[in-house]
Amino acid sequence: MVDPGLSDQNKYSDATEPTEDVTGEEGLAPELEEGVEVEEIVEPLPLSEKVIHINRVAKVIKGGRKFGFTAVVTVGNQNGMVGLGYGKANDVQAAIKKGVDQANKNMIEVPLINETIPHEMKCKYGAAVVFMKPASKGTGVIAGGPMRAILEIAGVKNVLAKSQGSKNQINVARATFEALKRIKWPEEVMEQRKRTVENYS
């Protein structure tokens, strides 16, 4: 004769054991309890693009002329990152796309202190000469043409800039980009001079 107690024990032996509650106080998992640091994920700022100049070019071929387009485009996040690109194609949209792709590849970081550049900079590209100088808060971007477009995309809010020599917009844009590329952080300059920022100030 089978013991009724044993049959009941076998009946419930295969039942799933209750799971242990892994949540802490107030229903939070242990890794999210109070006092535990959670690493914050910072997403990069979206890139903005601005067309500086579009030019139509013509090539004389057998049977007539073939037209094409060139585009100078600047790309940046308005927070210290900027790039410059030049594209050529048979239609405007394709030229702009090529310019944007090249600008993304040529992205650089511009040192910014209080929304302006750390020091003066003068640069020449071809016959175009550009000069830029730091400005106090509230001054705005005192520049025009390609210089203004590149400085705004780079995130410079206050600067005094001037373009001299050639007015060719492609050369002015490249001179401006080269000037921003040469700007350095104060710490880098002091390290080269083997001095500290405190001693220099």
Side-chain angles (χ1 to χ4, degrees):
M1 183 176 180
V2 181
D3 189 355
L6 294 177
S7 62
D8 293 340
Q9 184 177 0
N10 294 334
K11 178 180 180 181
Y12 296 103
S13 60
D14 296 334
T16 304
E17 296 182 359
T19 57
E20 182 181 355
D21 186 9
V22 296
T23 58
E25 296 180 0
E26 301 181 359
L28 296 178
E31 63 271 17
L32 299 180
E33 290 183 359
E34 185 178 358
V36 178
E37 296 184 359
V38 179
E39 183 178 356
E40 183 180 358
I41 301 177
V42 180
E43 296 183 358
L45 295 176
L47 296 178
S48 303
E49 60 185 59
K50 184 176 292 187
V51 178
I52 296 176
H53 179 65
I54 295 178
N55 186 36
R56 190 182 74 168
V57 295
K59 180 181 180 181
V60 179
I61 60 175
K62 184 178 180 180
R65 291 186 297 175
K66 182 179 179 181
F67 292 97
F69 297 89
T70 63
V72 182
V73 186
T74 181
V75 175
N77 63 355
Q78 300 182 6
N79 192 33
M81 298 295 294
V82 67
L84 184 68
Y86 179 78
K88 295 189 294 183
N90 294 330
D91 60 276
V92 176
Q93 294 300 327
I96 293 175
K97 185 178 184 303
K98 287 184 179 181
V100 171
D101 293 340
Q102 189 181 92
N104 287 326
K105 295 178 182 179
N106 299 333
M107 198 78 67
I108 62 170
E109 182 180 2
V110 180
L112 296 178
I113 299 178
N114 297 327
E115 298 181 338
T116 189
I117 57 178
H119 56 82
E120 297 180 2
M121 177 56 65
K122 186 175 182 180
C123 186
K124 180 179 180 181
Y125 189 96
V129 181
V130 298
F131 174 78
M132 53 187 68
K133 182 179 180 181
S136 58
K137 189 174 182 179
T139 303
V141 179
I142 309 301
M147 293 189 69
R148 185 181 188 89
I150 295 175
L151 291 170
E152 288 179 346
I153 286 291
V156 182
K157 302 293 180 62
N158 306 290
V159 67
L160 300 172
K162 179 69 175 177
S163 173
Q164 300 173 337
S166 173
K167 301 302 180 183
N168 184 292
Q169 296 198 35
I170 298 176
N171 285 350
V172 173
R174 288 176 173 171
T176 305
F177 185 71
E178 188 65 29
L180 293 177
K181 190 188 298 185
R182 295 181 183 181
I183 294 177
K184 298 181 179 180
W185 291 100
E187 291 78 9
E188 295 180 17
V189 179
M190 294 300 101
E191 185 178 356
Q192 292 177 356
R193 299 178 182 178
K194 301 187 183 301
R195 300 181 63 180
T196 61
V197 179
E198 292 77 8
N199 292 338
Y200 183 76
S201 58

